[in-house]
Amino acid sequence: MIIINGIRWDLLLVDPSNTKLQMPNGKQAFGCCDNFTHILYISKGLNKKALKKVLRHEITHAFIYSRNILLTPKEEETVVEIVTDYGNQINRIANRAYKQIKEGKY
C-alpha cells in the first residue's frame, strides 16, 4: 500500500500476461496505474533495475492522478518519462545546490 496525497494506492504484482498490462496497441506493458481502482499493477519477474524503473513510472502516474492534473496522454507520458529517467538526478543536483546555498556559495 502506498499513500499519495491522502489517497491509498494498492500495489499488485501480476503475471506478465495479465490483461491489466495490455496496452491499446496490443502489446504488454510492464506496469499499469489504474486511476479508478487506485491499483498499481506491476509485472512479476522483472529484474531489480527494471522493477525500480517501472515503480517510478507508475508511481509518477499516481501522483499526477492524485493531484487531478489533466494532461493529454502524450503530455502525461512525457512528464512521467522525465521524472522516471531524471528524477534521481534532479534530486541530487537540487540537494547539492541547497548545500552550496547553505554554505554561502551563492
Side-chain angles (χ1 to χ4, degrees):
M1 173 187 63
I2 301 165
I3 304 293
I4 300 172
N5 294 319
I7 298 171
R8 175 189 168 145
W9 294 82
D10 290 316
L11 178 64
L12 292 179
L13 294 177
V14 297
D15 187 79
S17 63
N18 188 293
T19 58
K20 282 292 190 176
L21 299 179
Q22 188 168 0
M23 297 188 294
N25 66 6
K27 293 183 179 180
Q28 288 298 108
F30 296 116
C32 172
C33 179
D34 189 324
N35 188 30
F36 300 104
T37 61
H38 297 137
I39 297 174
L40 303 176
Y41 296 91
I42 308 296
S43 180
K44 290 180 183 177
L46 298 174
N47 65 42
K48 181 180 177 180
K49 183 178 179 180
L51 178 58
K52 285 184 174 187
K53 183 172 182 170
V54 171
L55 286 169
R56 284 192 307 268
H57 185 99
E58 300 310 329
I59 290 168
T60 302
H61 279 294
F63 266 94
I64 290 170
Y65 299 150
S66 71
R67 296 295 304 262
N68 293 316
I69 298 171
L70 300 176
L71 301 168
T72 66
K74 185 175 180 177
E75 291 169 335
E76 183 175 328
E77 281 305 310
T78 299
V79 169
V80 168
E81 285 300 318
I82 289 169
V83 172
T84 299
D85 293 341
Y86 300 106
N88 289 335
Q89 186 177 357
I90 291 166
N91 194 47
R92 281 192 303 274
I93 292 168
N95 285 338
R96 276 196 307 265
Y98 176 80
K99 183 179 177 186
Q100 291 174 345
I101 289 168
K102 287 299 184 184
E103 292 171 351
K105 295 181 180 178
Y106 286 101

